[in-house]
Amino acid sequence: MTIRTMDIEDSVTLLKADIDNAKEIYAMQVDVFKELLEKYQDFDTSPANENIEKVEARLKQDFTFYYFICIGQRKVGAICIVDKKETGKSKRISPIFILPEFWNHGIAQKEIRLCEEVHGSENWELATILQESRNCHLYEKMGYQQTGSFKTINEKLTLVFYEKKGLDNYT
């Protein structure tokens, strides 16, 4: 059975996670990011190289929100939002991930829109791998703009920083 992209995108929902979901989030995160860890050897920054205690610590923070990305009842990824709910302060996406078999179906776009509905559409920031043009394209398509800041992690990997200040139109 073939599922059209629009069918998948229309069925994307967010499910708030809590501390009881730490192992599930951690396992999914390591699985999704392990290929990038092997490619870039970024042992200090890769979510695939984090320990479960870091995920648990985020889940315990009252200003950090984890959501599973669901298609129907199936969890296909997760997103972590840091939102201190302070006027004029940026919210941060870190990390965001979707299982590879669900890439290229518009799921990340829908997920970001849903998070913006929950947490507000203004004042967002994130960082991604400059060498991963697919990721950069996604964020730019969603109205994020490069800040001009970069951080070299190693000879293979540079982080590029993005922000979204206002109610930008999606392209």
Side-chain angles (χ1 to χ4, degrees), residues 41 125 133 153:
Q41 304 290 299
E125 60 184 35
S133 59
I153 302 302

Side-chain angles (χ1 to χ4, degrees), residues 79-82 91-96 112 115-116 124-127 139 144:
I79 185 169
C80 179
I81 305 294
V82 177
K91 298 164 281 278
R92 180 166 185 74
I93 298 174
S94 180
I96 176 176
I112 290 169
C115 286
E116 289 176 352
W124 286 88
E125 60 184 35
L126 59 87
Y139 298 126
Y144 287 78

Side-chain angles (χ1 to χ4, degrees), residues 15-161:
L15 174 64
K16 191 161 183 333
D18 60 31
I19 192 68
D20 294 333
N21 303 116
K23 287 181 182 174
E24 187 176 8
I25 291 169
Y26 176 72
M28 191 181 290
Q29 173 180 299
V30 168
D31 186 46
V32 171
F33 285 102
K34 68 183 173 193
E35 186 176 313
L36 290 174
L37 175 62
E38 292 169 12
K39 181 177 181 180
Y40 294 111
Q41 304 290 299
D42 57 322
F43 299 105
D44 293 331
T45 60
S46 174
N49 210 38
E50 288 181 354
N51 58 38
I52 192 167
E53 289 80 15
K54 190 162 185 178
V55 173
E56 290 170 341
R58 282 191 202 111
L59 281 161
K60 290 177 183 176
Q61 294 172 328
D62 61 356
F63 54 85
T64 302
F65 304 85
Y66 264 102
Y67 300 96
F68 285 108
I69 303 134
C70 301
I71 297 176
Q73 299 299 310
R74 179 149 186 215
K75 295 172 184 168
V76 300
I79 185 169
C80 179
I81 305 294
V82 177
D83 183 0
K84 295 186 179 180
K85 302 200 180 285
E86 297 174 14
T87 304
K89 297 288 183 177
S90 291
K91 298 164 281 278
R92 180 166 185 74
I93 298 174
S94 180
I96 176 176
F97 50 92
I98 297 171
L99 297 171
E101 60 265 34
F102 292 94
W103 291 354
N104 301 315
H105 291 286
I107 295 168
Q109 293 175 57
K110 178 69 173 180
E111 165 190 20
I112 290 169
R113 283 189 205 110
L114 289 170
C115 286
E116 289 176 352
E117 287 175 18
V118 172
H119 293 275
S121 59
E122 298 179 332
N123 297 322
W124 286 88
E125 60 184 35
L126 59 87
T128 195
I129 300 171
L130 178 64
Q131 292 80 1
E132 293 294 315
S133 59
R134 195 172 64 87
N135 292 355
C136 295
H137 176 74
L138 164 68
Y139 298 126
E140 290 167 11
K141 186 175 185 176
M142 298 301 298
Y144 287 78
Q145 298 177 337
Q146 288 188 19
T147 65
S149 294
F150 301 88
K151 181 178 181 183
T152 302
I153 302 302
N154 60 36
E155 66 280 352
K156 298 178 182 181
L157 186 147
T158 300
L159 293 178
V160 58
F161 294 84

